Amino acid sequence: MYSFINSLLPATLLCIFCANSALAIDGEATATLSVSPQFCITASEEQNCDIELLLSWHTTIPQVVCILSNYQALPKWCADSADIKALSLKVSTQEDIQFILINKLTHQTLAGAQLNITPTAEPQARRRFRNPWSLF
């Protein structure tokens, strides 16, 4: 009986290890990052979008994360603990900003989000129906 338990113990430990590894892989794959609002509408292409953003994230496995972006004022931000799940920041930009959520220890990419800057369309000149030289 004792030898039977000893022969099952390594197999059981291997199964538990594999299950935990699969859970870790799935947990990292199911991380989400969201930016709110997702769009900023400006009056023209030359006008800056001045807006306050809320970045929030969720991971199935608690982990300390960092956020990378192509926004020059915030190239990299890292959380102090796994309990932090959101970041509020003010931005002023004319271009789209991409945010990437990474694991602080492994630098593995977990999720991504984007702020889209959209200028409004210029009003088109209204066409006259009659020519200015028309007599009628």
Side-chain angles (χ1 to χ4, degrees):
M1 177 82 167
Y2 181 72
S3 65
F4 177 72
I5 293 175
N6 278 345
S7 66
L8 286 179
L9 187 60
T12 306
L13 290 176
L14 180 63
C15 289
I16 292 171
F17 176 74
C18 290
N20 285 342
S21 297
L23 179 63
I25 292 169
D26 288 343
E28 292 172 351
T30 58
T32 58
L33 174 65
S34 63
V35 59
S36 179
Q38 293 179 334
F39 297 96
C40 182
I41 299 174
T42 60
S44 67
E45 289 186 19
E46 294 81 27
Q47 183 181 9
N48 276 354
C49 173
D50 298 320
I51 193 167
E52 185 167 344
L53 298 177
L54 177 65
L55 296 169
S56 56
W57 56 89
H58 173 73
T59 57
T60 53
I61 298 172
Q63 51 191 311
V64 180
V65 297
C66 293
I67 295 179
L68 303 174
S69 72
N70 60 344
Y71 184 57
Q72 292 178 356
L74 180 78
K76 183 176 182 179
W77 175 89
C78 291
D80 296 330
S81 72
D83 296 331
I84 299 173
K85 302 287 184 190
L87 171 67
S88 177
L89 63 130
K90 292 183 180 182
V91 298
S92 177
T93 184
Q94 294 177 353
E95 298 177 358
D96 295 349
I97 302 175
Q98 295 183 0
F99 299 97
I100 299 173
L101 183 72
I102 64 169
N103 184 302
K104 185 176 182 177
L105 301 174
T106 64
H107 301 287
Q108 181 179 9
T109 301
L110 303 174
Q114 182 171 339
L115 169 69
N116 295 310
I117 309 299
T118 306
T120 57
E122 300 264 340
Q124 295 179 351
R126 186 172 178 208
R127 184 182 173 276
R128 292 179 58 135
F129 290 108
R130 288 187 285 152
N131 293 329
W133 48 264
S134 176
L135 298 176
F136 299 102

